[in-house]
Amino acid sequence: ALAEMFEIDRYALAMTASVQADVLVNFTRYEFQPAMSRLQIFCSEDLGAFYLDILKDRLYTADKNSVARRSAQTAIHHITHALIKLLAPVTSFTAEEAWKDLHIGHETESIFTELIHTLPDPANAQALIDKWNRLREIRAQAMRQIEAVRTNGEIGSSLAAELDVYASGDDYHLLASLEDDLRFVFIVSRATLHEAPGDLRIAVSPSPHKKCERCWHHRADVGADPEHPEICGRCVDNLFGLGELRHHA
């Protein structure tokens, strides 16, 4: 059910619906260049550089039947169907080929017999977009500081980093709403939020902990289970237990 999907997945659906609405307006005016530009930016920046980048951890590490993974797959299903149909008027042969590949093993007609995809409509979609747009601004600030530490040779990937985020007011409550999932949004091994007066500040430090061979997060509990000395506690839970609890990202 839509209400059970993770917040970031509902945000991705709301983003896609907004893009689809804009592109359809362009099509009614025969404005194909701005339509394709909007789709290109959506694919490269909104999906590739943000949503899918964060999603990889969940798809790679969560149990295949978990709510975490199924929520991600549901969002990807809808986004893929919407995008192929929006691209079809301009990239006709590519869209037709992609449509048939998407339905291998199932009878399907040409994509040009299809209607525009009906996307799920998350509750409070605009509020969701506003919230996550601000989170993306904060994330961009964090990524710049992580990159500076990486350039200095102190870390390799961002997962070798830990963050301490100092925030107040609306930003503090916004970040606090993500709970422990904050580290997944920043793609770091630890993200600790502190309520502090003044402007938003982010401190980056190399993680002192061992790297999990499965999820690549640096965690204090890597090797805590003697039967699985190379992986962290959440990976043990995902592989052999009930699975980790995540709600937002």
Side-chain angles (χ1 to χ4, degrees), residues 61-112:
T61 65
D63 181 82
K64 66 179 181 179
N65 294 316
S66 65
V67 173
R69 198 163 189 272
R70 297 297 291 167
S71 175
Q73 290 174 318
T74 299
I76 290 172
H77 167 87
H78 286 293
I79 293 168
T80 302
H81 279 73
L83 282 178
I84 292 175
K85 291 177 179 181
L86 291 173
L87 289 166
V90 177
T91 58
S92 303
F93 293 104
T94 302
E96 180 77 348
E97 185 177 349
W99 184 253
K100 289 181 177 178
D101 284 346
L102 199 62
H103 295 86
I104 288 176
H106 302 279
E107 288 290 331
T108 182
E109 296 186 34
S110 168
I111 192 171
F112 296 103

Side-chain angles (χ1 to χ4, degrees), residues 103-224:
H103 295 86
I104 288 176
H106 302 279
E107 288 290 331
T108 182
E109 296 186 34
S110 168
I111 192 171
F112 296 103
T113 64
E114 297 288 328
L115 299 176
I116 291 298
H117 189 66
T118 301
L119 288 156
D121 185 17
N124 303 314
Q126 189 55 53
L128 204 58
I129 289 173
D130 293 342
K131 173 182 178 177
W132 279 89
N133 283 351
R134 176 54 185 155
L135 286 169
R136 289 176 66 175
E137 291 173 354
I138 297 172
R139 181 178 182 268
Q141 180 179 335
M143 297 301 282
R144 287 192 294 271
Q145 293 181 233
I146 291 169
E147 185 58 33
V149 174
R150 185 184 359 238
T151 301
N152 290 337
E154 297 179 55
I155 60 171
S157 75
S158 65
L159 286 174
E162 296 185 349
L163 298 186
D164 285 280
V165 183
Y166 301 86
S168 61
D170 291 342
D171 282 346
Y172 174 80
H173 295 295
L174 196 69
L175 294 164
S177 71
L178 296 183
E179 302 171 299
D180 192 48
D181 287 7
L182 185 62
R183 65 187 175 105
F184 299 120
V185 173
F186 288 132
I187 314 183
V188 294
S189 288
R190 176 182 64 78
T192 303
L193 178 63
H194 309 269
E195 188 169 15
D199 295 336
L200 181 78
R201 292 178 290 116
I202 301 172
V204 183
S205 57
S207 174
H209 302 300
K210 186 178 178 182
K211 175 182 173 182
C212 172
E213 292 299 319
R214 181 171 182 266
C215 70
W216 293 10
H217 285 245
H218 293 246
R219 304 293 291 174
D221 59 357
V222 172

